[in-house]
Amino acid sequence: MTEQIAKLREIIGNSENIVFFGGAGVSTESGVKDFRSVDGLYNEKYKYPPEEILSYSFFVSKPDEYYKFHREKLVTDGVKPNAAHLALARLEHSGKLKAVITQNIDGLHQAAGIENVLELHGTANRCYCMKCGKPASIELITKGTDVPYCECGGLIRPDIVLYEEQLDERVLRESINYIKAAEVLIIGGTSLAVYPAAGLIRYFAGNHLILINRDETPADRYADLVIRGKIGEVLAQI
Ligand code: ZN
């Protein structure tokens, strides 16, 4: 590992245009559980698989069931950024890191002080009325216990991308542009199995593709550097 860290440091030291692409593994070191995981108690609590609950059609037809799940699995109040987020913040402040593209919805990159975060799946830290479009207080979701409604009568929804929904076109386009222009692309904490990760990295035309993940990924064979390890522990050493 020491040799790989040295190589990682060298690549970062020689580059002025780095982009980071991260997945759920970046948040797990902060104690955020992967909401797709179905544990032993899951089936006692929920009658539906997580992918179904997190779909648009489920949300609008059974908002009470949806919010029961959301409040238990997606609300991350009190969770703090970890070593990976903080290392990325330092890299951004140094001017080398141009963008963080994330599949996470927990806002931990921003909490670490990172400014340019592209949230492919939206954020659980904002919500709005589906009828009039007005932003609503997130506390209606994080602190409330009922299905939240706007004063206009519309259903309030979190600003996340649900299954069956398209990604935000602006976020996707910007992500592609940053990846296209990057000299170095660091991918961390993702198996690259979830759409659109695998497709996005095909736009990378730079010098160094770096993968940091605990397990093997399908993109390992394209990478210049593969580091098997916890993302926070690895990035803390750069
Ligand atoms: Zn409204």
Side-chain angles (χ1 to χ4, degrees):
M1 179 99 119
T2 327
E3 202 179 298
Q4 290 162 308
I5 299 288
K7 193 172 174 198
L8 177 64
R9 278 192 187 145
E10 188 192 321
I11 292 172
I12 290 172
N14 292 329
S15 173
E16 293 307 318
N17 188 337
I18 301 169
V19 168
F20 179 82
F21 183 103
V26 179
S27 291
T28 46
E29 285 169 49
S30 285
V32 177
K33 294 223 168 59
D34 186 346
F35 52 76
R36 290 179 202 87
S37 65
V38 174
D39 57 28
L41 289 172
Y42 185 89
N43 292 320
E44 282 176 31
K45 278 188 185 161
Y46 303 102
K47 284 176 270 176
Y48 313 90
E51 286 80 8
E52 190 177 342
I53 298 176
L54 290 166
S55 69
Y56 178 81
S57 51
F58 188 94
F59 175 72
V60 292
S61 63
K62 299 182 188 69
D64 50 336
E65 291 267 359
Y66 172 87
Y67 272 115
K68 189 176 130 197
F69 179 92
H70 183 111
R71 285 177 172 127
E72 190 177 325
K73 300 271 187 182
L74 304 189
V75 173
T76 51
D77 278 9
V79 172
K80 296 206 164 46
N82 62 54
H85 301 106
L86 298 172
L88 291 167
R90 288 195 298 274
L91 206 54
E92 184 186 58
H93 296 156
S94 78
K96 287 175 178 285
L97 181 68
K98 302 304 180 192
V100 169
I101 303 166
T102 181
Q103 303 181 90
N104 301 335
I105 56 172
D106 49 42
L108 288 173
H109 288 100
Q110 292 92 330
I114 302 173
E115 281 176 27
N116 197 18
V117 184
L118 293 160
E119 296 173 305
L120 287 170
H121 295 161
T123 175
N125 295 320
R126 280 196 309 265
C127 59
Y128 63 93
C129 169
M130 291 178 76
K131 198 171 160 194
C132 72
K134 213 166 89 177
S137 163
I138 194 62
E139 295 199 340
L140 289 173
I141 295 178
T142 58
K143 304 265 193 284
T145 49
D146 301 326
V147 174
Y149 286 96
C150 177
E151 53 203 12
C152 83
L155 177 61
I156 286 170
R157 64 163 291 172
D159 199 357
I160 61 178
V161 179
L162 296 166
Y163 288 96
E164 300 166 0
E165 293 187 301
Q166 301 285 324
L167 298 183
D168 183 285
E169 222 171 284
R170 183 195 62 81
V171 176
L172 190 57
R173 202 172 47 236
E174 274 190 52
S175 300
I176 290 170
N177 288 342
Y178 276 111
I179 290 173
K180 270 184 179 170
E183 289 173 64
V184 175
L185 178 61
I186 305 175
I187 300 176
T190 171
S191 59
L192 289 168
V194 182
Y195 172 82
L200 273 178
I201 65 164
R202 282 203 290 265
Y203 290 96
F204 178 62
N207 301 323
H208 299 285
L209 180 64
I210 300 168
L211 286 174
I212 307 168
N213 203 44
R214 281 198 304 189
D215 309 308
E216 214 175 299
T217 84
D220 285 5
R221 60 202 162 111
Y222 306 115
D224 297 274
L225 179 61
V226 177
I227 303 179
R228 292 252 175 282
K230 287 187 167 182
I231 182 96
E233 285 173 16
V234 172
L235 290 183
Q237 299 177 64
I238 60 171

